[in-house]
């Protein structure tokens, strides 16, 4: 059974940093792109970033490019999201998702990031 | 990276059919056959319901179907059941990125 477990969320002040982690199990992690998707309170889903199987290629949404960095460790079956220069509008539940041929076929339960002073 | 356009709400009575649209551009929905649909119940993570426009993952009832014409994709839910009441999001490949629709709240009357 595929499992994705996010961690690292919490309350942070504007301008601060946070690192999210997502531990994967139940599938061949190193064979799949991985993606972070977020959902602001009461709002819709927003694609944030994805990363290729070997970690060489990564792509970012316009709203986070230059502030967020996605990375992965295939020896630990984990994907990460380093978030810097956080703003109030980054407040959201952050989901990691397994990315298979342009679909997100498995999702974690999400971790809440709150940016507030 | 503009969001895809979905109606904010849709509704139908049990047993009826309802169709939700998802409009993009030739750079996303119209340019690729990689449209997917997700169902989200309150407080839960999204669940994949349709992928590659019209394919259903194992375990998804055949009451759910997808289609696409030009820059607009559609999700049809036939034989509505109470458990279908949820938010539905479309998504499309857009080159190196992906883009989501704003979501549609489906109410079963």
């Amino acid at each position: 059974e595929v499992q994705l477990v996010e961690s690292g969320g919490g309350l942070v002040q504007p301008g601060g940093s946070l690192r999210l982690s997502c531990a994967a199990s139940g599938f061949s992690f190193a064979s799949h792109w991985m993606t972070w998707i977020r959902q602001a309170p009461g709002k819709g889903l927003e694609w944030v970033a994805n990363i290729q199987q070997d970690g060489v290629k990564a792509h970012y949404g316009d709203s986070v490019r230059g502030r967020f960095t996605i990375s992965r460790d295939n020896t630990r079956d984990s994907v990460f999201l380093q978030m810097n220069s956080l703003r109030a509008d980054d407040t959201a539940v952050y989901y990691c998702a397994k990315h298979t041929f342009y679909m997100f076929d498995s999702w974690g339960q999400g971790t809440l990031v709150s940016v507030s002073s | 990276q503009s969001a895809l356009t979905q109606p904010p709400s849709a509704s139908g009575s049990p047993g009826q059919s309802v169709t939700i649209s998802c409009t993009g551009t030739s750079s996303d929905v119209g340019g690729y056959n990689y449209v997917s649909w997700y169902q989200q119940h309150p407080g839960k993570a999204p669940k994949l319901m349709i992928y590659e426009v019209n394919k259903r993952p194992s375990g998804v009832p055949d009451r759910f179907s997808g289609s696409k014409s030009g820059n607009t994709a559609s999700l049809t839910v036939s034989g509505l059941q109470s458990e279908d009441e949820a938010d539905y999001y479309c998504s499309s490949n857009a080159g190196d990125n992906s883009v989501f629709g704003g979501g549609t709240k489906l109410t079963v009357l």
Side-chain angles (χ1 to χ4, degrees):
Chain A
E1 179 193 4
V2 173
Q3 278 204 313
L4 298 167
V5 180
E6 301 95 336
S7 60
L11 176 63
V12 61
Q13 291 189 336
S17 298
L18 213 54
R19 187 185 192 228
L20 306 183
S21 300
C22 172
S25 62
F27 66 100
S28 178
F29 180 78
S31 299
H32 290 270
W33 285 73
M34 295 296 293
T35 297
W36 286 97
I37 295 160
R38 69 184 182 182
Q39 186 170 33
K43 302 296 185 183
L45 301 172
E46 180 187 8
W47 179 84
V48 173
N50 64 18
I51 187 165
Q52 197 178 26
Q53 292 92 328
D54 60 5
V56 173
K57 280 188 183 178
H59 305 102
Y60 299 90
D62 290 343
S63 61
V64 307
R65 189 177 296 114
R67 301 186 299 122
F68 290 11
T69 302
I70 188 172
S71 62
R72 65 191 294 161
D73 183 345
N74 288 346
T75 66
R76 293 163 53 192
D77 289 354
S78 294
V79 61
F80 309 99
L81 188 67
Q82 177 66 43
M83 304 185 295
N84 298 331
S85 302
L86 283 162
R87 311 184 303 221
D89 61 358
D90 294 317
T91 294
V93 173
Y94 285 73
Y95 295 101
C96 75
K98 174 172 163 279
H99 189 174
T100 303
F101 294 115
Y102 306 107
M103 62 176 171
F104 309 112
D105 54 354
S106 295
W107 299 61
Q109 84 288 350
T111 188
L112 177 62
V113 173
S114 296
V115 184
S116 174
S117 55
Chain B
Q1 295 174 355
S2 298
L4 306 177
T5 300
Q6 296 181 234
S9 63
S11 62
S13 299
Q16 289 186 333
S17 293
V18 63
T19 296
I20 298 169
S21 62
C22 169
T23 301
T25 69
S26 58
S27 297
D28 39 62
V29 174
Y32 307 92
N33 284 324
Y34 292 123
V35 176
S36 50
W37 289 90
Y38 302 86
Q39 177 191 65
Q40 186 180 35
H41 287 108
K44 300 294 188 182
K47 174 188 174 184
L48 176 68
M49 303 300 285
I50 295 287
Y51 67 99
E52 290 179 19
V53 175
N54 57 14
K55 298 178 182 177
R56 275 187 315 276
S58 173
V60 172
D62 60 6
R63 303 184 293 101
F64 291 85
S65 62
S67 63
K68 191 187 87 166
S69 177
N71 295 337
T72 298
S74 298
L75 171 72
T76 297
V77 185
S78 305
L80 272 174
Q81 299 182 4
S82 59
E83 58 262 36
D84 299 333
E85 183 161 296
D87 293 327
Y88 291 85
Y89 295 91
C90 61
S91 178
S92 173
N93 179 50
D96 292 330
N97 306 329
S98 294
V99 61
F100 283 95
T104 298
K105 182 176 181 58
L106 174 59
T107 300
V108 180
L109 302 170

